[in-house]
Amino acid sequence: MSTAIEAEPRHDRRGGVWDYISPSRLALFLKCPLAWKLRYIDGVRSPTSPALFVGKVVHAGLESWYRHRMLGLELGAGTLRAWIADFWGQSAADENMTFESVAQETALQAQAIELVGTYLAQVPADEPRPLAVEATLEAPLIDPNSGENLGIPLLGVADLILGPATSARICDFKTSSKAAPPHEITHELQLTSYAWLFRQTTGQSESGLEIRSLIKTRSPKVEAHAYPARTGRHFARLFSVIREYLDALDSGRHNFRPGGGCAMCDFRESHCRDWTGSGR
Ligand code: SF4
């Protein structure tokens, strides 16, 4: 039997990090609360790395292709290549990107074009038309078990939702330098967040979820891993993490969490090394 939803939310919205929770905020918080605080409370920005920039351009190329497909239009390979090259130049200027050399930038742009081309060559001919592309979804967080309104919405941007709505597949694109084992738990919070948002905004349940990885090997590869529709267990686990996140916001305790992720952390030398604790 379902419980009644509390009329009053748990927290007042106070702007900033209280505006919404997102899968990426949760992911960084779980990786390291200090890194999360530096980025989302202190506003420390990190420069976009060339590898991250390639990922952004690949996402934009796929978005453009799928937006045309949504309208029943096929964007030809040559047109898409030209579109990506234009987008690259404009975005690199907007983000003040710096590359080691012109040769490096040229090679990375070619890599982005080749990755998108490899992906499109493998799209099944009978793939359903998209229901939504780069869809920003937002929904209140009302605990499905207790009915408590957590007073803060969940917000996420789904790369691709394939139709129809009654049996939608929610897909997320990744670019990476090497193939990774298809462990569901690696992507669990992100996929469960998207499923929650889809269900809350459409009233339908997804039929499944997918991670589509574009891998930057010498000869690019695409791997798609499918995962089943979410269950009550997934949502209970998501809400458990969200409650821990909200408790940390309330307490202001954002400790560092040294580990394997430190090797790739932009804050390691600039902010973390001299950090002296949360002082509580
Ligand atoms: S270097 Fe490690 S412990 Fe320090 S902020 Fe980064 S992830 Fe956290």
Side-chain angles (χ1 to χ4, degrees):
M1 196 173 105
S2 63
T3 52
I5 293 170
E6 286 186 359
E8 290 302 319
R10 181 182 191 234
H11 298 281
D12 292 332
R13 293 176 67 165
R14 288 173 256 160
V17 289
W18 289 97
D19 280 347
Y20 62 86
I21 295 175
S22 68
S24 52
R25 290 182 179 195
L26 279 180
L28 185 56
F29 169 76
L30 288 178
K31 180 180 148 201
C32 177
L34 176 61
W36 174 89
K37 174 183 177 287
L38 289 166
R39 175 161 308 163
Y40 293 112
I41 293 186
D42 300 343
V44 181
R45 306 311 302 175
S46 308
T48 305
S49 68
L52 200 59
F53 188 71
V54 168
K56 285 185 179 184
V57 172
V58 166
H59 266 73
L62 295 176
E63 177 188 348
S64 178
W65 191 81
Y66 273 112
R67 282 198 189 282
H68 281 78
R69 193 170 169 103
M70 226 171 129
L71 300 172
L73 303 171
E74 285 295 324
L75 206 52
T79 308
L80 187 58
R81 268 198 301 274
W83 186 93
I84 292 174
D86 279 353
F87 182 85
W88 181 286
Q90 188 59 53
S91 298
D94 290 347
E95 296 198 29
N96 284 323
M97 284 298 301
T98 51
F99 298 93
E100 280 173 21
S101 61
V102 172
Q104 186 205 34
E105 180 175 1
T106 303
L108 290 176
Q109 187 185 120
Q111 184 181 55
I113 290 171
E114 202 181 352
L115 279 168
V116 174
T118 303
Y119 175 88
L120 296 181
Q122 295 181 28
V123 172
D126 60 351
E127 183 176 85
R129 192 176 283 193
L131 201 58
V133 178
E134 282 288 310
T136 301
L137 305 172
E138 182 174 342
L141 283 162
I142 298 169
D143 191 313
N145 291 322
S146 69
E148 183 185 5
N149 183 343
L150 302 190
I152 186 168
L154 182 66
L155 184 142
V157 181
D159 287 340
L160 174 67
I161 305 177
L162 297 170
T166 48
S167 59
R169 291 190 74 73
I170 304 171
C171 306
D172 190 70
F173 299 124
K174 307 277 183 210
T175 51
S176 60
S177 54
K178 59 182 182 193
H183 300 309
E184 180 177 348
I185 198 164
T186 310
H187 310 291
E188 179 176 328
L189 288 180
Q190 185 182 24
L191 295 178
T192 304
S193 295
Y194 291 156
W196 173 265
L197 291 166
F198 181 75
R199 293 182 188 202
Q200 297 298 309
T201 53
T202 66
Q204 306 278 351
S205 293
E206 74 288 353
S207 66
L209 302 123
E210 269 185 53
I211 296 290
R212 297 182 173 185
S213 300
L214 290 78
I215 303 160
K216 298 182 280 186
T217 36
R218 186 180 294 273
S219 178
K221 284 194 302 187
V222 175
E223 290 184 354
H225 297 296
Y227 305 99
R230 301 296 85 175
T231 65
R233 178 180 63 88
H234 291 111
F235 293 120
R237 285 152 67 107
L238 173 64
F239 271 78
S240 181
V241 168
I242 288 171
R243 284 177 182 279
E244 180 187 341
Y245 174 93
L246 290 173
D247 287 347
L249 258 65
D250 278 337
S251 71
R253 187 181 293 269
H254 309 297
N255 276 325
F256 81 150
R257 196 163 289 170
C262 299
M264 301 289 290
C265 179
D266 291 329
F267 305 126
R268 188 181 61 246
E269 301 302 326
S270 58
H271 294 79
C272 182
R273 198 183 51 183
D274 298 327
W275 180 71
T276 55
S278 66
R280 288 166 188 265

